[in-house]
């Protein structure tokens, strides 16, 4: 069972250290309790998906203690600044174009060129983020498919030992996940992705323009639809047992016996043509590397396709295989 500790100066410092070490912390926010990890540490972010038992990689919200800190990770245009001034700190999440080389893990955005950002109103959340010194990725702190937690005990019951520490600060005031608005749509128009405590009318009022509804109802945007946004340019060949002529390799585990058709071994492929998600066969490390490595291979010129070695269909491997299947379509 994970430990529940009342949030105070000392426990916040302890939680911040856990986060800097790549651990997971149950974080109180005004909306719901979040399952927080260092958003710049791919392996830590991968642990979130593992703990939640998510069968696919849904992009996550990065939480900041101050809106000014967002500038180096995402592009805040005039509209984003307007919304920030009116609704932050508070239950509004904005999806913004991601800065290249932002330092955020690719897994946070599930490989998309955008990133979801929010400055929570809860004092403890902001103190924790400030103490950690990094943005915190945090979905709701519950197993996938179960109800969002609004108290520390909910988090403990749902996630058990998968979370390293739960910071307790009473019941979440709002009790409903944040409103999500996208300012990164193709035509530049603001789109409401998820309803929440801040209404679409309030947002439209501040922006002085209409806000489209991406999806009616109070549910989250379908991850399936989101993930179609990023598909590699090159064809993917899954469960490959060798490398065909002209292909690059995305490996997993030992490459010792991975041959290239026509002769030779994968390890002898030209520089950059052979990447390994995890030489030790560690699924957490593989998840953390997945999107970044797909991007890198996809940028290769004179490459006919990407052969992907088989990855076990257990634990995080289910989410990795789900993403690969979508990318291969
Ligand atoms: O209130 C909340 O927002 C809570 C607390 C902990 O802050 N967090 C939360 O996170 O609800 P999560 O991961 O359950 O929801 C994130 C939502 C999902 O609907 C996801 O699809 C969407 O934001 N999202 C995140 N990044 C996105 C992106 N780059 N593009 C489109 N949608 C994105
Ligand atoms: Mg959720």
């Amino acid at each position: 069972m994970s430990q529940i500790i009342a949030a105070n100066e000392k426990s916040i410092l302890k939680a911040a250290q856990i986060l800097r070490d790549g651990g997971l912390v149950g974080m109180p926010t005004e909306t719901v309790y979040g399952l927080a990890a260092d958003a710049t540490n791919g392996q830590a972010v991968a642990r979130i998906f593992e703990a939640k038992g998510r069968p696919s990689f849904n992009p996550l919200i990065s939480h900041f203690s101050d809106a000014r800190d967002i500038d180096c990770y995402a592009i805040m245009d005039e509209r984003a600044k307007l919304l920030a001034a009116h609704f932050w700190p508070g239950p509004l999440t904005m999806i913004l174009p991601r800065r290249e080389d932002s330092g955020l893990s690719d897994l946070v955005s599930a490989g998309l060129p955008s990133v979801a950002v929010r400055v929570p109103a809860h004092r403890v959340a902001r103190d924790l983020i400030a103490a950690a010194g990094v943005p915190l990725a945090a979905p709701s702190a519950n197993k996938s498919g179960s109800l969002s937690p609004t108290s520390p005990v909910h988090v403990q019951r749902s996630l058990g030992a998968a979370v390293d520490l739960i910071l307790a600060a009473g019941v979440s005031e709002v009790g409903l996940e944040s409103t999500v608005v996208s300012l990164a749509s193709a035509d530049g128009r603001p789109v409401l992705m998820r309803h929440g405590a801040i209404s679409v009318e309030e947002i439209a009022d501040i922006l002085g323009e209409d806000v489209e509804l991406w999806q009616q109802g109070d549910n989250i945007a379908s991850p399936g639809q989101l993930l179609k946004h990023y598909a590699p340019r090159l064809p993917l060949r899954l469960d490959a047992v060798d490398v065909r002529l002209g292909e690059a390799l995305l490996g997993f585990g030992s490459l010792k016996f991975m041959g290239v058709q026509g002769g030779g071994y994968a390890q002898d492929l030209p520089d950059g043509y052979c990447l390994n998600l995890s030489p030790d066969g560690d699924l957490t490390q593989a998840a953390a590397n997945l999107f970044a490595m797909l991007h890198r291979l996809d940028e290769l010129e004179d490459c006919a396709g990407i052969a992907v070695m088989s990855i076990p269909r257990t634990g995080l491997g289910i989410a990795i295989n789900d993403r690969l299947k979508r990318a291969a379509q």
Side-chain angles (χ1 to χ4, degrees):
M1 246 325 147
S2 50
Q3 203 186 356
I4 297 182
I5 307 188
N8 55 39
E9 220 171 300
K10 200 168 149 224
S11 60
I12 287 174
L13 287 179
K14 180 177 174 179
Q17 188 57 51
I18 291 174
L19 290 164
R20 279 197 299 269
D21 291 341
L24 301 183
V25 169
M27 169 176 77
T29 89
E30 76 280 19
T31 58
V32 299
Y33 272 71
L35 179 61
D38 175 354
T40 66
N41 177 341
Q43 293 226 35
V45 176
R47 286 192 63 205
I48 292 180
F49 291 99
E50 195 172 38
K52 285 185 67 88
R54 272 198 180 168
S56 65
F57 295 129
N58 204 7
L60 304 174
I61 299 169
S62 293
H63 296 72
F64 295 80
S65 60
D66 190 312
R68 283 169 296 191
D69 297 338
I70 295 173
D71 274 331
C72 40
Y73 299 95
I75 296 165
M76 297 264 295
D77 65 8
E78 286 312 311
R79 296 174 309 172
K81 286 186 184 142
L82 210 55
L83 292 180
H86 276 87
F87 298 113
W88 281 348
L92 178 73
T93 295
M94 289 189 234
I95 295 167
L96 303 174
R98 195 184 143 112
R99 279 200 197 281
E100 275 188 50
D101 302 318
S102 69
L104 286 180
S105 138
D106 283 303
L107 198 52
V108 165
S109 306
L112 298 170
S114 56
V115 61
V117 295
R118 166 164 120 82
V119 178
H122 204 296
R123 189 76 243 174
V124 171
R126 290 213 309 282
D127 287 350
L128 179 64
I129 300 162
V134 285
L136 298 181
S140 51
N142 54 282
K143 284 267 184 211
S144 179
S146 60
L147 286 177
S148 287
T150 52
S151 78
V153 174
H154 289 164
V155 180
Q156 194 180 47
R157 270 196 225 131
S158 189
L159 295 173
V163 49
D164 297 306
L165 180 81
I166 301 166
L167 276 183
V171 170
S172 301
E173 216 175 293
V174 177
L176 193 73
E177 286 98 336
S178 60
T179 304
V180 180
V181 66
S182 174
L183 297 176
S185 64
D187 60 6
R189 282 192 297 178
V191 181
L192 190 86
M193 309 291 283
R194 179 172 78 183
H195 292 278
I198 293 171
S199 72
V200 64
E201 290 81 13
E202 284 175 273
I203 296 171
D205 197 41
I206 297 300
L207 289 179
E209 64 179 310
D210 282 347
V211 177
E212 239 174 272
L213 294 187
W214 187 82
Q215 194 175 265
Q216 281 286 357
D218 59 358
N219 215 335
I220 60 164
S222 151
Q225 253 146 319
L226 286 169
L227 292 175
K228 272 186 211 142
H229 288 219
Y230 173 71
R233 177 182 62 89
L234 294 172
L236 250 60
R237 191 166 61 82
L238 305 184
D239 299 315
V241 292
D242 57 9
V243 184
R244 292 182 186 158
L245 225 55
E247 276 183 344
L249 177 71
L250 186 61
F252 179 82
S254 169
L255 305 184
K256 216 165 151 194
F257 301 108
M258 201 62 185
V260 178
Q261 273 185 14
Y265 287 95
Q267 280 155 310
D268 305 322
L269 284 168
D271 254 9
Y273 276 71
C274 177
L275 299 182
N276 199 338
L277 290 168
S278 169
D280 299 329
D282 173 4
L283 289 169
T284 315
Q285 189 185 26
N289 283 330
L290 180 67
F291 293 108
M293 289 190 172
L294 275 176
H295 276 292
R296 270 164 60 193
L297 292 176
D298 205 28
E299 281 160 15
L300 290 174
E301 281 167 25
D302 313 323
C303 185
I306 303 169
V308 186
M309 279 168 75
S310 160
I311 291 154
R313 287 165 170 79
T314 55
L316 261 189
I318 297 173
I320 296 173
N321 277 293
D322 167 84
R323 183 65 192 90
L324 283 170
K325 213 174 86 194
R326 290 174 198 282
Q329 271 165 9

